[in-house]
Amino acid sequence: MLDPVSWKSSGGRIFRSYTPALAGQGGRLRLIDQTLLPEQLQYIELADTEAIFDAIRRLAVRGAPAIGCAAALGLAAVVRPVKFNNSAELLAFAEKTAARLADSRPTAVNLSWALDRSLREIRNNITASPAELQNILLKTALDILAEDIQMCRSIGLHGKPLLRDGMGILTHCNAGALATGDYGTALAPVYVAHETGLKIKVYSDETRPLLQGSRLTAWELNRAGVEVVTICDNMVAQVMKEGKIDLVIVGADRIAANGDAANKIGTYGVAVLAQYHHIPFYVAAPYSTFDLNLADGSGIPIEQRRADEIATGFGRRTAPESVTFYNPAFDVTPHELITGIITEKGLIRPPFAPQIAKIFSQAAV
Amino acid sequence: MLDPVSWKSSGGRIFRSYTPALAGQGGRLRLIDQTLLPEQLQYIELADTEAIFDAIRRLAVRGAPAIGCAAALGLAAVVRPVKFNNSAELLAFAEKTAARLADSRPTAVNLSWALDRSLREIRNNITASPAELQNILLKTALDILAEDIQMCRSIGLHGKPLLRDGMGILTHCNAGALATGDYGTALAPVYVAHETGLKIKVYSDETRPLLQGSRLTAWELNRAGVEVVTICDNMVAQVMKEGKIDLVIVGADRIAANGDAANKIGTYGVAVLAQYHHIPFYVAAPYSTFDLNLADGSGIPIEQRRADEIATGFGRRTAPESVTFYNPAFDVTPHELITGIITEKGLIRPPFAPQIAKIFSQAAV
């Protein structure tokens, strides 16, 4: 699937007419600068620690799985051109680089997970030469990307049976190709259904304050030829009432042991509205999103972001300077509002707590 | 209260430090151009049919009661300087002008109500001279404005007992001083409570796509010294879950005979979320908002507005050009989600249909 020499992914089915959103190329991390979408499609190539740190921090690349891939590819890109006298020196340099990159978005679990995995591979092969370790680091990053692409595809296949021809699907924020190595999580079933010829109409909440729904989700679905209608977040209840929505699918940033799921702010409200209108509400996320250390969602920290994201988000000031803003970046949807969780291994149905416990005890064996 | 010669309102308690949002002055309709808020506070004076039509259409003045006042003042301003040979000629001109102005916005009933009332006054006094009719038209418009100011104050007094010191009140869009002749509808109880020394914190949904909640509600509350916190529309469920909201009060553009209430898009969703969180949900609106010709809300016309309000609302394009948008400007909250309707004559409680029928049959007597 992946060619380590050119660092080119042969995936990118959604973007088959051009380069994937995220790839390694020419020894550098190559990615779409998502802050410029939808006005400009611009790729940036990075091989410098501070530039990669900055790209993650300012959301040039975002989405938990994509951040993990970018960090691993970025670490390999930074280490690759450096001359080391010995492997211990390489390890020390890689550790320092990884620590800095991990600081860019402290809350994203995939970020530290991917960096830890890369460092572990160095330590496990510390007797190898620096040149061999540089190749191992690269192979590990490409493995992470390849697994992510495979994970997306599997979520798509497991979610696809939920979709029928002519359905209207509502999604919130962006859990699509731009948030992952390739296929997305919430959007993966839509892409698979689209590829098999089903006519699906996606309603995309614009997702204030950063508009990932209109800037990113609408953009990528549009490019892939999937019909997409963008609405403001406050129109969800109305489109549901009008019978336009048959199914809701969203992503997740963290899922507790009882199925409570943290995701982009607004998701919880959508779930309440879906229940009121008797519309099934699905969460799509890989196993790596589950945090079994948390019994329920009350332990998931809610990141507060800056007021100016709301007040001056797009150039013009939209409220007086003296006004206070409240800007939680995530919310938690309680498991009782969730119809099912679509994972890369299949669909998890309620009761979630025993189902999740069973799956992960089997996975550990 | 009002001086017909200068067309100046002595109301404007909220804006007591400067001119009211809406007034007649120097024979012209004078109003704040609300599209420029919060960045610029700029008044415009209008006495031309197309300019008034345009001001209403592009939302320089908006809010059901304010539109009614503006239309009546506007009609008087257009008719006033014209020389007529006889009263029939004046009536024909006024009818033509009113028909054009009534076309500017479809959902709010106050617009046609105010214009119809003005025309009725002409017809009832058709034996008077054109000059006398011009004065009658002006007096009618100023009566409508004065009654609106009184109506706001009365809604405030009837709604105030619902508020307690320290409460958090959620509102959607702007049903405040900028939406009426003076005190607002949804915000009137807040202003009255504030004047009597209660500490009230208002959570103001920003209200996409046109951001009336952050641009207008936050602006006017802030100026009046009321504590206000602005949130994105998709944060409503989260702030309710966190226990920050004790009460919801919204305005209405039209209320059917069974209590179903049309208001700014997003209101219906807020009502569903309030019910889920066991939070009382009140509508504040004057008698003129009731449309007893409609048995329920299904007959209320819902204005569809242009896609570019969503796509380019912040100055920057936020979705690809080829993406479709859906932009309903209003929704209808079914009466079963409404705890009570605060009117200028008192609180209406369920069951709404018989209560409303009783009130209006008495009013007709």
Side-chain angles (χ1 to χ4, degrees), chain A residues 11-36:
Chain A
R13 294 169 63 92
I14 307 313
F15 297 101
R16 63 168 76 79
S17 59
Y18 54 101
T19 321
L22 179 73
Q25 194 159 17
R28 302 159 90 89
L29 166 65
R30 179 176 161 88
L31 48 85
I32 295 175
D33 184 348
Q34 298 188 26
T35 65
L36 303 178

Side-chain angles (χ1 to χ4, degrees), chain B residues 3 38 40 51 54 74 78 84 111 125 128 136 149 152 156 174 205 224 243 258 305 335 337 344 348:
Chain B
D3 169 9
Q40 283 180 61
D54 183 58
V78 169
F84 297 99
L111 181 61
N125 295 282
I136 286 170
I149 292 168
C152 291
N174 176 264
D205 294 354
N258 71 341
R305 292 183 64 90
H335 63 90
L337 295 175
E344 71 273 42
I348 307 177

